Amino acid sequence: MPISRRRLMASGGSLAGLVLTGGLATACGSNTGREGGGASGAPVISQWYHQYGEPGAEQAVKRYAAAYRKAKVTVQWRPGNYDQQTAAALLTDSGPDVFEVNGPTLDQIRGGQVVDLTDLVSNDVRGDFNPTVLAPKVHDGKVWGIPQVIDTQLLYYRKGLLSDAGVEPPQSLDALVDAAKQLAEKLKGKKAKGLFLGNDGGAGVLGGTPLFASGLALITEDGRVGFDDPAAARALGKVHQLHAEKSLLLGAPADWPDPSAFIQGLTAMQWSGLWALPQIKKALGDDFGVLPFPKDGPNGKPAVPVGAYATAVSARSKDKAAAKAYAKWLWVERTDYQEDFALSYGFHIPARTSLAEKAERLREGPAADAVRLATEYGYAEPLLWTPAAKVAYQDALSRVIKDGANPESELRAVVRKTDAELRRVRKSA
């Protein structure tokens, strides 16, 4: 199954939980691209990508590699559970030299599996990367991965449907709850609902977004649990209210990454990704807008989840200098390729702020609004948000939203688990 960048966001920034074909059997095979050597004696570099679903993406990255003159770069398009494959391959001598990664993870950094890339990004260049997506690639002040493109999620709304119902675009979580209920009543005769957060009511996609909308965080800047606060339970309770009041569209033909329910009028508002914008624009013209997840409470602020794959260099590369030089050429120097990769194959925001600002397709209308919202209100999962803590939170979120479990008690258990994880991480440092 091809993995599009939207599937990265669907899993909250991690592919580790996806059940996909392929697997570890291919991770340590002999087909690494390192065999032989260039006819002229130039270095041979193996580069890995996960299997994107967007048409043309594979051909594009192979075209970029072919244009490089200082080494022979062989590109591998890796189907299956890519995160699992790379994690295994980094422990062997048959893995990639340069590879994209959802991270690198803290374990990969501390385990010496990836190379420090700080010297590839001067201060000026480092400052040009979107700081929110760069932050999880930085540890101990060093850069371990170079962000490629930004994916983000937004709240789409149908201007005409809201106007007909006398509903303003919601600017707070309370207003979103009220608007969804009012729209569901208005659209009852059309068998439509007010809001679509996914067929599970938002349990799988929202992640930490309601916490950030409450002015909280998953992990604080000083490495503590960031949601041990009554505001967290209050926000999750309101998300459950949407489910309990039957304001949500459930059982749509396609889940939240696909905008078809929104386009067909089955819902007046839908949470989806930036990748859906061109399809929505083609179908609806100017009859839609985009919003962040609305703020909640006196200390809240709008929230926009962002994620980004990064390019990293394996510590087991036989020619780290050549691998780093290629990574710098492609993801620091070749800004034309960076913009092409972001906007010609799917619809994404370049990781470089200067490229996002000048990109023609991002300069007007909802696309420009999306860039602004992602810049002003974007948040990314921090490096210290471990898989175990994330699973505990996701399970609790599902129970709250779908089953009406008590958010206070559910979150207390997640706080304990997260605190234990942070103590474990600090102890192993």
Side-chain angles (χ1 to χ4, degrees):
M1 176 184 287
I3 309 169
S4 67
R5 282 168 274 196
R6 71 191 64 183
R7 290 179 66 79
L8 168 66
M9 294 299 289
S11 60
S14 175
L15 292 174
L18 296 177
V19 181
L20 302 169
T21 58
L24 288 176
T26 59
C28 302
S30 61
N31 181 23
T32 65
R34 289 176 174 168
E35 293 79 4
S40 62
V44 177
I45 297 171
S46 171
Q47 182 181 28
W48 284 15
Y49 290 88
H50 80 274
Q51 187 181 14
Y52 289 92
E54 291 92 339
E58 181 179 6
Q59 292 74 19
V61 297
K62 289 181 176 178
R63 173 167 50 85
Y64 307 155
Y68 191 58
R69 294 290 176 258
K70 295 183 179 179
K72 178 183 178 182
V73 182
T74 62
V75 173
Q76 284 199 38
W77 208 240
R78 307 287 296 189
N81 194 322
Y82 179 81
D83 282 359
Q84 202 171 46
Q85 291 180 38
T86 52
L90 290 177
L91 301 176
T92 75
D93 291 327
S94 59
D97 297 291
V98 180
F99 63 104
E100 68 172 6
V101 62
N102 177 30
T105 67
L106 188 60
D107 286 342
Q108 288 168 345
I109 295 170
R110 287 183 171 176
Q113 297 172 24
V114 290
V115 174
D116 177 7
L117 304 181
T118 308
D119 60 324
L120 303 191
V121 287
S122 65
N123 289 337
D124 288 345
V125 171
R126 185 167 172 171
D128 190 37
F129 281 97
N130 180 293
T132 302
V133 297
L134 180 62
K137 322 300 181 190
V138 176
H139 181 62
D140 286 341
K142 298 177 181 178
V143 177
W144 301 93
I146 303 174
Q148 297 176 173
V149 301
I150 300 171
D151 274 321
T152 187
Q153 299 164 10
L154 299 154
L155 181 64
Y156 291 88
Y157 67 95
R158 295 280 297 265
K159 292 179 179 179
L161 293 178
L162 267 65
S163 178
D164 290 346
V167 172
E168 293 293 325
Q171 303 299 317
S172 70
L173 185 51
D174 287 325
L176 178 64
V177 172
D178 292 342
K181 184 177 182 179
Q182 188 173 341
L183 286 161
E185 288 293 327
K186 179 74 173 180
L187 297 170
K188 185 182 297 183
K190 298 181 180 180
K191 297 183 179 180
K193 292 291 186 177
L195 176 63
F196 185 39
L197 296 174
N199 285 326
D200 61 0
V205 65
L206 289 181
T209 302
L211 306 182
F212 281 86
S214 302
L216 305 175
L218 297 172
I219 307 295
T220 63
E221 292 185 2
D222 61 351
R224 307 295 174 181
V225 179
F227 51 93
D228 188 7
D229 189 291
R234 181 185 64 216
L236 297 195
K238 292 176 183 179
V239 178
H240 166 68
Q241 186 178 345
L242 288 162
H243 192 281
E245 293 181 344
K246 302 185 185 306
S247 302
L248 297 178
L249 173 65
L250 301 172
D255 213 344
W256 69 270
D258 190 311
S260 56
F262 182 72
I263 291 170
Q264 294 167 13
L266 300 179
T267 180
M269 299 181 289
Q270 177 173 338
W271 187 255
S272 191
L274 179 64
W275 55 79
L277 197 150
Q279 188 177 347
I280 293 173
K281 175 72 174 176
K282 182 178 180 180
L284 301 180
D286 295 327
D287 188 29
F288 78 99
V290 295
L291 295 168
F293 192 89
K295 65 181 180 180
D296 184 51
N299 298 316
K301 59 181 180 180
V304 177
V306 296
Y309 267 104
T311 282
V313 172
S314 171
R316 286 182 176 264
S317 170
K318 292 181 173 61
D319 196 334
K320 298 182 188 65
K324 288 176 64 176
Y326 174 65
K328 180 178 182 180
W329 175 82
L330 181 54
W331 294 110
V332 176
E333 297 173 355
R334 289 305 300 256
T335 54
D336 54 339
Y337 288 164
Q338 294 159 37
E339 183 175 345
D340 178 63
F341 190 61
L343 292 165
S344 298
Y345 319 98
F347 197 66
H348 315 274
I349 302 173
R352 303 277 290 273
T353 302
S354 60
L355 297 182
E357 288 175 347
K358 75 174 187 178
E360 191 67 30
R361 297 181 69 193
L362 299 175
R363 296 182 68 176
E364 295 181 349
D369 292 337
V371 173
R372 175 180 57 81
L373 294 173
T375 301
E376 292 182 10
Y377 305 122
Y379 82 88
E381 292 184 352
L383 198 56
L384 291 175
W385 184 236
T386 68
K390 180 175 180 176
V391 168
Y393 173 75
Q394 287 296 142
D395 289 346
L397 181 63
S398 180
R399 289 190 290 269
V400 170
I401 292 177
K402 297 167 67 176
D403 304 331
N406 183 279
E408 289 88 353
S409 59
E410 290 289 336
L411 283 171
R412 278 198 296 271
V414 180
V415 167
R416 288 195 296 271
K417 179 62 176 179
T418 305
D419 184 62
E421 280 293 287
L422 291 172
R423 284 188 276 108
R424 178 187 65 80
V425 168
R426 286 193 292 270
K427 185 177 179 180
S428 64

